[in-house]
Amino acid sequence: MNKKIIGLFVIFLFLSGCSKFTGQEDFNDIIDNIQQSVEQKEWKQLKSHGDDLLKIYHSNKWKLQMIGDEREYEELYESIKRLLVVIEEKEVTEIKLSLATIESIIEEIYSL
């Protein structure tokens, strides 16, 4: 039993210490791309980046489940889906608010 706990703790430390491995860098990169597209009002590019953010979420979901709690990663998913809707509506202010929410959730998940 103690070996399992120690093993899980080591895995957790490894995952939390490597931002590229945990997916944090992927999230940050795509958020930066979205922010640039919002400023330039490139709507097609913005839609593509929003879809990419959802794909990154799905590909990193198991990592998020290990690092964060259920409320955090479910809230992140809801915020990403909300972002996709406001991108469709071309609401710049709402897009910026959604991005700020997503960024704060990601920071919360990856902070130790």
Side-chain angles (χ1 to χ4, degrees):
M1 179 67 177
N2 287 338
K3 289 182 181 180
K4 287 183 181 180
I5 292 172
I6 291 171
L8 288 174
F9 183 72
V10 169
I11 290 172
F12 176 76
L13 285 177
F14 179 74
L15 287 176
S16 62
C18 305
S19 66
K20 183 65 174 172
F21 184 73
T22 60
Q24 183 178 11
E25 191 174 303
D26 294 334
F27 280 113
N28 291 337
D29 289 345
I30 197 69
I31 287 172
D32 289 341
N33 291 340
I34 291 172
Q35 289 172 337
Q36 290 173 1
S37 294
V38 168
E39 295 303 321
Q40 298 171 0
K41 296 185 179 172
E42 296 174 341
W43 299 110
K44 289 182 183 181
Q45 192 70 20
L46 191 57
K47 172 72 171 118
S48 175
H49 290 318
D51 292 338
D52 291 343
L53 182 61
L54 187 59
K55 288 175 189 173
I56 289 170
Y57 170 83
H58 286 301
S59 66
N60 290 299
K61 185 176 179 180
W62 70 273
K63 297 173 190 175
L64 296 170
Q65 290 171 332
M66 290 184 70
I67 295 171
D69 65 26
E70 184 176 7
R71 178 193 57 83
E72 291 172 332
Y73 67 81
E74 286 181 355
E75 188 178 354
L76 178 59
Y77 177 73
E78 291 171 7
S79 296
I80 292 171
K81 294 297 277 185
R82 190 174 308 116
L83 174 67
L84 294 175
V85 170
V86 295
I87 287 173
E88 288 291 322
E89 297 296 321
K90 298 180 181 178
E91 296 286 336
V92 174
T93 304
E94 291 297 320
I95 292 170
K96 290 180 179 182
L97 287 172
S98 293
L99 278 177
T101 302
I102 290 169
E103 283 181 305
S104 67
I105 295 168
I106 290 171
E107 282 181 29
E108 189 175 324
I109 289 172
Y110 288 103
S111 68
L112 290 178

